[in-house]
Amino acid sequence: MYQQLFTPSVQHTLDLIGIFVFAISGALLAVRKNFDVFGIAVLAEVTALGGGLFRDLVIGAVPPAAFTDLGYFVTPLLATVLVFFLHPHVERLQAGVNVFDAAGLGLFCVAGTTKAYDYGLGLTASACLGLATAVGGGVLRDVLANEVPSLLRWDRDLYAVPAIVGAAMVALCIRFDGLTPLTSGLAVVTAFVLRLCAMRFHWRAPRAWNRRSTVLETE
Amino acid sequence: MYQQLFTPSVQHTLDLIGIFVFAISGALLAVRKNFDVFGIAVLAEVTALGGGLFRDLVIGAVPPAAFTDLGYFVTPLLATVLVFFLHPHVERLQAGVNVFDAAGLGLFCVAGTTKAYDYGLGLTASACLGLATAVGGGVLRDVLANEVPSLLRWDRDLYAVPAIVGAAMVALCIRFDGLTPLTSGLAVVTAFVLRLCAMRFHWRAPRAWNRRSTVLETE
Amino acid sequence: MYQQLFTPSVQHTLDLIGIFVFAISGALLAVRKNFDVFGIAVLAEVTALGGGLFRDLVIGAVPPAAFTDLGYFVTPLLATVLVFFLHPHVERLQAGVNVFDAAGLGLFCVAGTTKAYDYGLGLTASACLGLATAVGGGVLRDVLANEVPSLLRWDRDLYAVPAIVGAAMVALCIRFDGLTPLTSGLAVVTAFVLRLCAMRFHWRAPRAWNRRSTVLETE
């Protein structure tokens, strides 16, 4: 059982922090899209819990953690209330939210990879599910809001790569029997710092090697 | 086993009515979006069965009822045929469809909550899944049709709240050992009447408390 | 066990070919939508594996094949690399891609139906899941790219019908105890040829019988 790398209460607190910041990002998008208060709550819940829900369905961990832990369900509602009443202030704190979101990304990619491995998946599949845990909620958020997922867009700073690196580090540690709270924490921090750097220096991924093509211009 | 509150045949008939009216709403949207006959059938099936399918995947009831009961599958096809040949008439009957849709909302939120509790989920989680059963199909319908889910939009009459109230009533009844066909039927009727009132009086939910913000205007 | 109609290695090779051509179609859409390289990879994976993933979740085959077979995961990445570097050439080969995609459609609807039946579903439900296996990836691809699924649009050549015919042939063969590699291959070929004909002769499905309606014009 790698899943409890940290003591349960530490792990649970970290999970709730990740859920809270993801929920804030969902609630803010809902406000921007002019949704009502229930729309804000739904988008907060989906953003915060969607990635883990997908992972749990795939690995057969039913009912998923999102439906068995009351704290997981209530936390996004707190984020909803906060955004509902304070959203101009929350928006002014966007930079802070982004830092927390980067922390959530790091925590979720590591926790997702470890949980998937505990349920018997291979290392590559576990790393994929770690990535899906970290980015899945954001993709669902954008699909429900009827926008192109920002994960896929070339004009956004790198988001998937930090999570891929974090998940891959965990998979490599498991492979070489070196997964400890220390290495695990190191993976979280690496993903976190990479994401911060990507935002700070506007790292972007290349688009298709299409210089000889005129397709994009004519579309 | 709370799931069979009514006699099986009554429950099954109620389920089929709910499925039928939800399928009509999906098929009508497909016609508005100019889909072909297969698109109409797909949207009818998804709207009618999507919410229950999501619930069954989450609670681990596989294969889901949507795939084990032939009646559940055939009913949306009947709705497809009806809308395909008669859709100007069906549209003229929109008010009637709305009443049936409200009935479907009430039936599904109660049946969904009860089934989730029977599969061992907690009361809050069961109520959430009851809500998801009732509104999930409509959300999937709108996502497939590439529209913002009407559930989330502020300019639509309240849809989630009646289902939340119905699901919460069932959860409270279970909590205090009072779930009988009578209280269960009362929850259905409450959700149904609340939805009718919401449509009649155009009840809407508030948007974010944003009077000091200029964000919405500048977007 | 009908699932291994062909020898395992033949079946596996056919699966990988189907996955590869579906991935190409996803990657090409990602390039058209101007996604970055990770967006291309995500869309390739989703298009190639989404249909089978949905089927496996529904029939309770967890973890799904997409996460247990490394070849299933790597193949879409190969398609991503190919499209990333060569996409003007791949686009010029669109006709060829379409032929392979038709082959994938035939293979997946037959394999999906057989696998669902092996997991204990009824014949109708198995045929539905065969259809979902064949077309589900494409629907997910279009939803993630924020487009109306081409499956649903009336102005696209028939796509669902060939898969429905193939899946229904398999279900009928099972019903009359006649499912052999020969009849199974015949179903694949039938779906394949029907799809080729639909593209060649621009077969389309009718829209709603709406000549007396003015709704579409006023939308």
Side-chain angles (χ1 to χ4, degrees):
Chain A
M1 280 297 288
Y2 284 118
Q3 207 181 331
Q4 299 300 346
L5 280 173
F6 310 106
T7 63
S9 64
V10 171
Q11 177 72 44
H12 197 244
T13 309
L14 292 174
D15 278 356
L16 291 183
I17 292 174
I19 285 171
F20 183 76
V21 292
F22 278 173
I24 292 277
S25 92
L28 284 176
L29 179 63
V31 171
R32 274 202 289 273
K33 297 287 287 189
N34 215 1
F35 293 167
D36 67 21
V37 60
F38 297 102
I40 300 174
V42 168
L43 224 55
E45 294 279 354
V46 164
T47 311
L49 304 175
L53 182 60
F54 173 75
R55 176 204 58 209
D56 288 351
L57 289 180
V58 165
I59 63 179
V62 289
F67 286 94
T68 52
D69 186 319
L70 202 59
Y72 287 9
F73 171 72
V74 173
T75 304
L77 297 184
L78 293 181
T80 302
V81 171
L82 201 75
V83 169
F84 183 80
F85 285 109
L86 299 176
H87 91 96
H89 304 286
V90 177
E91 284 223 318
R92 220 174 294 146
L93 299 173
Q94 186 71 51
V97 171
N98 281 342
V99 171
F100 279 104
D101 183 82
L105 188 74
L107 289 167
F108 276 32
C109 74
V110 170
T113 306
T114 333
K115 182 164 185 185
Y117 187 78
D118 277 339
Y119 273 78
L121 272 79
L123 288 172
T124 313
S126 298
C128 284
L129 282 172
L131 173 64
T133 308
V135 305
V139 170
L140 278 175
R141 175 197 64 202
D142 295 340
V143 166
L144 282 186
N146 202 18
E147 306 218 316
V148 173
S150 66
L151 177 74
L152 305 175
R153 297 175 59 161
W154 75 275
D155 56 351
R156 299 295 159 94
D157 304 325
L158 280 187
Y159 196 86
V161 174
I164 293 172
V165 170
M169 281 176 69
V170 174
L172 284 175
C173 288
I174 295 176
R175 174 71 185 76
F176 295 109
D177 262 334
L179 195 67
T180 62
L182 184 71
T183 53
S184 185
L186 197 68
V188 173
V189 170
T190 306
F192 174 57
V193 171
L194 276 178
R195 172 63 185 153
L196 288 185
C197 290
M199 287 192 292
R200 178 75 186 75
F201 303 112
H202 297 298
W203 288 346
R204 282 175 189 172
R207 285 173 289 166
W209 203 269
N210 58 12
R211 287 168 305 202
R212 288 153 306 169
S213 170
T214 58
V215 174
L216 295 174
E217 280 69 46
T218 59
E219 285 268 326
Chain B
M1 279 297 288
Y2 284 118
Q3 205 182 331
Q4 299 299 344
L5 282 173
F6 310 105
T7 62
S9 62
V10 172
Q11 178 71 45
H12 197 243
T13 308
L14 292 175
D15 278 356
L16 291 183
I17 291 174
I19 285 171
F20 183 76
V21 292
F22 278 175
I24 292 279
S25 93
L28 283 176
L29 178 62
V31 170
R32 275 203 287 276
K33 298 286 287 189
N34 216 0
F35 292 166
D36 67 22
V37 60
F38 297 102
I40 300 174
V42 167
L43 223 55
E45 294 279 354
V46 163
T47 310
L49 305 175
L53 182 60
F54 174 75
R55 177 204 57 211
D56 288 351
L57 289 180
V58 165
I59 63 179
V62 288
F67 286 95
T68 53
D69 186 319
L70 202 59
Y72 287 9
F73 171 72
V74 172
T75 304
L77 297 183
L78 293 180
T80 302
V81 171
L82 202 75
V83 169
F84 183 79
F85 285 110
L86 300 175
H87 92 96
H89 305 285
V90 177
E91 285 222 317
R92 221 174 294 146
L93 299 173
Q94 186 71 50
V97 171
N98 282 342
V99 172
F100 278 105
D101 183 82
L105 188 73
L107 289 166
F108 276 32
C109 73
V110 171
T113 307
T114 333
K115 181 163 185 184
Y117 186 77
D118 278 340
Y119 273 78
L121 272 78
L123 287 173
T124 314
S126 297
C128 283
L129 282 172
L131 173 64
T133 309
V135 306
V139 170
L140 278 176
R141 173 197 65 203
D142 294 340
V143 165
L144 282 186
N146 201 19
E147 306 218 317
V148 173
S150 65
L151 177 74
L152 306 176
R153 296 175 59 160
W154 75 275
D155 57 350
R156 298 295 159 93
D157 304 325
L158 280 187
Y159 196 85
V161 174
I164 292 172
V165 171
M169 281 176 69
V170 174
L172 284 175
C173 287
I174 295 175
R175 174 70 186 77
F176 295 108
D177 261 336
L179 194 69
T180 62
L182 184 71
T183 54
S184 183
L186 197 68
V188 173
V189 170
T190 307
F192 174 58
V193 171
L194 276 178
R195 171 64 184 153
L196 288 185
C197 290
M199 286 192 293
R200 179 75 184 75
F201 303 112
H202 297 299
W203 288 345
R204 283 175 189 171
R207 285 171 288 165
W209 203 269
N210 58 13
R211 287 168 305 201
R212 289 154 304 171
S213 169
T214 59
V215 174
L216 295 174
E217 281 69 46
T218 59
E219 286 265 325
Chain C
M1 281 297 288
Y2 284 119
Q3 206 183 331
Q4 300 299 346
L5 281 172
F6 310 105
T7 63
S9 63
V10 171
Q11 178 71 46
H12 196 244
T13 309
L14 293 175
D15 279 356
L16 291 183
I17 291 174
I19 285 171
F20 183 77
V21 292
F22 278 174
I24 292 277
S25 92
L28 282 176
L29 178 62
V31 170
R32 276 202 288 274
K33 298 285 289 189
N34 215 0
F35 292 166
D36 67 21
V37 61
F38 297 102
I40 301 173
V42 167
L43 224 56
E45 294 279 354
V46 164
T47 312
L49 305 175
L53 182 60
F54 174 76
R55 177 203 58 212
D56 287 350
L57 289 180
V58 165
I59 63 179
V62 288
F67 286 95
T68 53
D69 186 318
L70 201 60
Y72 287 9
F73 170 73
V74 172
T75 304
L77 297 183
L78 293 180
T80 303
V81 170
L82 201 75
V83 169
F84 184 80
F85 285 110
L86 300 175
H87 92 96
H89 303 286
V90 177
E91 285 222 318
R92 219 173 295 147
L93 300 173
Q94 186 70 50
V97 171
N98 281 343
V99 171
F100 278 105
D101 182 82
L105 188 73
L107 289 167
F108 276 32
C109 73
V110 171
T113 307
T114 333
K115 181 165 186 185
Y117 186 78
D118 278 338
Y119 273 78
L121 273 79
L123 287 172
T124 314
S126 297
C128 283
L129 282 172
L131 173 63
T133 308
V135 305
V139 170
L140 278 175
R141 174 197 64 203
D142 294 340
V143 166
L144 282 185
N146 201 19
E147 306 218 317
V148 172
S150 65
L151 177 74
L152 305 175
R153 297 175 59 161
W154 75 274
D155 57 349
R156 298 295 159 93
D157 304 325
L158 281 186
Y159 196 85
V161 175
I164 293 172
V165 170
M169 282 176 69
V170 173
L172 284 175
C173 288
I174 295 176
R175 174 72 186 74
F176 295 108
D177 262 335
L179 194 68
T180 62
L182 184 71
T183 54
S184 184
L186 196 68
V188 173
V189 170
T190 306
F192 174 58
V193 170
L194 276 178
R195 171 64 184 153
L196 288 185
C197 289
M199 288 192 292
R200 178 74 185 75
F201 303 112
H202 297 298
W203 288 346
R204 281 172 192 173
R207 283 173 289 165
W209 204 270
N210 58 11
R211 286 166 306 199
R212 287 153 305 169
S213 168
T214 59
V215 173
L216 294 174
E217 280 69 46
T218 60
E219 287 263 327

